[in-house]
Amino acid sequence: MYVQELEPVAGSLGLSALVAALPLVIVLVLLGGFRMKAHLAGLIGLLGAVLVACLAYGMPWGQAASSAVQGAVFGLFPIMWIVVNALWVYRMTVRTRHFDILRRSFGRLSDDPRIQALVVAFCFGALLEALAGFGAPVAISAVMLVALGFDPVRAAIVALVANTAPVAFGAMGTPVVTLAQVTGLPLDSVASVVGRQTPLLALVVPLVLVWLVDGRRGLRDTWVPAVVCGVAFAIAQFVASNYVSAQLADIAAAMAGAGALVAVPHSRVPASEAVRTSVLTGVRSEELDEEDPRGEVLRAYAPYALIVVVFSVAQIPVIKDWLAGATRKTDWPFLDVAAPNGEPVGANVFTWPIVSTGGTLVLFAGVATAVVLGVHARVAVREWAATVYELRFAILTVTSVLALAYVMNLSGQAATIGYFVAAAGAGLAFLSPVLGWFGVAVTGSDTSANALFGALQVTAAQESGLSPDLLAAANSSGGVLGKMISPQNLTIACAAVGLAGREGDLLRKVLPWSLGLLLVMCLVVVGQSTAVLGWMLP
């Protein structure tokens, strides 16, 4: 049995924390300083974590390797299993051109560009984040806004800022699922706290978007639809994450926000010619004028309805118990780790939620989607394989980062850093979202940031007397605000709208919004750690 040590380097917690942080420093420097590809930085960081675990912490080489393999396996299943199947559904809608029909349907909801920004970037972007994540919402939303006549720079900025509130529950809840796994906290408890933080962003972001589109005039003319959309989005995200399913949080929120927006009379008031000419300075796509049969429009919405139905059915107690019955638990080979107190760690046993995991449920919905959209089985399989190929580097990145996280967690490196950080005391509540923000800004992924810093946050919380659920959730909630300034997302946005090489221009425009909203989230978390907002927590 390998027993974790907290102070293996010269009996000093400070020196041990400095050494333990080396793998994280390596990854962050390679990504932020040298602009290295994320999967390469992850692999080099993993090597660093293994060397620190074995040479500084005395972890047997076999157990360090076994820890890394378990992290990589978890990265594949259930994490990338969810992402692959969700993106597969989207690819089938693109192949059958039902995605174009859906895009035209959104474009016809209003001729007011400020309302169109809310529908496309905020609501539909959230739906894309719910299904695909990993940069797809920014790219697709930006392209759709350009097709509506938005200037490419404005379209990219709006898409980047809009991609905040839904990120923590993106890709069918992948970030919170990862957070629960690496911290050992129950998924329901982590998701419920995140669901009491990110909805507050949803109240603000729509107002920011109409300001970005049309300045003070946009805020004055369309604040009512923006507020109604944000409130509906926030309520749906809160209810779904706390009482239904974390995987459905963004789908429910996106649909609720769009539905509320359409229902508000202000949204249907035609925009003045002065507004349209001053805002829409790009070239509008003539394709938007095509008429689509009602039946095809319904089929275009069908994939998202099917996902909601499948996940809702899976929550019925009898079916939920039946699905859970397929879960398998096994002793992970070559791994026998004990915490500093001598108690065996939970990772010694690996859980395989074969059927009940979100990825398998999305797969069921994907099969039904193929039938509804008329996709031949052979074509559907080919699209699934193409999805895996498209995500090959993302798969390598996620598996390497999770392998690194598991080695750091199981060797005791994360615990050492957590105990050291706990010295911040009450200030830890304010710094917790900042750590998540920094992680996402560098890695471009809330999932990766949760894998890297989740266990550290929990250890620090336990040592400082704060709620582990609160700080773990704060890592994810703060992280969503780093998404708009991450090099990965900036590059995706520029490439999508033909602004290659102008990432710096976009960064300067979105950085103030990222920092401003981060400050709001830090204050919220501080309030939730005290009696001021403590009533918000479950």
Side-chain angles (χ1 to χ4, degrees), residues 151-240:
D151 170 75
V153 173
R154 183 176 286 167
I157 293 171
V158 169
L160 285 165
V161 174
N163 191 221
T164 48
V167 169
F169 296 104
M172 308 307 295
T174 296
V176 291
V177 169
T178 303
L179 185 62
Q181 180 69 22
V182 299
T183 59
L185 299 172
L187 173 59
D188 290 346
S189 65
V190 172
S192 67
V193 179
V194 174
R196 294 161 193 248
Q197 294 172 342
T198 56
L200 298 176
L201 295 176
L203 300 176
V204 179
V205 170
L207 294 170
V208 173
L209 294 180
V210 296
W211 173 276
L212 288 172
V213 172
D214 195 27
R216 187 176 300 173
R217 179 179 60 184
L219 197 59
R220 183 182 64 245
D221 293 349
T222 57
W223 69 268
V224 172
V227 168
V228 171
C229 176
V231 168
F233 188 104
I235 291 174
Q237 192 181 61
F238 163 73
V239 172

Side-chain angles (χ1 to χ4, degrees), residues 82-96 98-99 131-132 172 300 302-307 359 361-370 373 375 380 383-384 387:
I82 298 172
V83 177
V84 166
N85 289 324
L87 197 56
W88 172 55
V89 173
Y90 163 71
R91 283 181 64 99
M92 285 193 290
T93 66
V94 171
R95 184 180 182 87
T96 59
H98 283 90
F99 177 76
L131 295 181
M172 308 307 295
Y304 312 104
L306 286 168
I307 289 175
L361 297 178
V362 176
L363 179 66
F364 293 156
V367 172
T369 294
L373 299 185
V375 180
E383 284 294 326
W384 191 91
T387 303

Side-chain angles (χ1 to χ4, degrees), residues 47-79:
L47 176 61
V50 170
L51 290 175
V52 170
C54 298
L55 300 180
Y57 279 74
M59 190 179 199
W61 291 95
Q63 296 220 42
S66 181
S67 302
V69 172
Q70 183 179 151
V73 169
F74 178 72
L76 290 173
F77 186 94
I79 298 307

Side-chain angles (χ1 to χ4, degrees), residues 101-154:
I101 295 172
L102 192 66
R103 180 174 63 182
R104 287 193 289 271
S105 174
F106 280 124
R108 282 191 287 268
L109 288 176
S110 173
D111 73 342
D112 190 323
R114 299 159 302 190
I115 302 300
Q116 290 173 340
L118 293 176
V119 172
V120 173
F122 188 67
C123 298
F124 189 57
L127 192 59
L128 292 171
E129 182 68 40
L131 295 181
F134 291 87
V138 169
I140 296 167
S141 296
V143 168
M144 290 176 69
L145 290 175
V146 169
L148 288 168
F150 279 71
D151 170 75
V153 173
R154 183 176 286 167

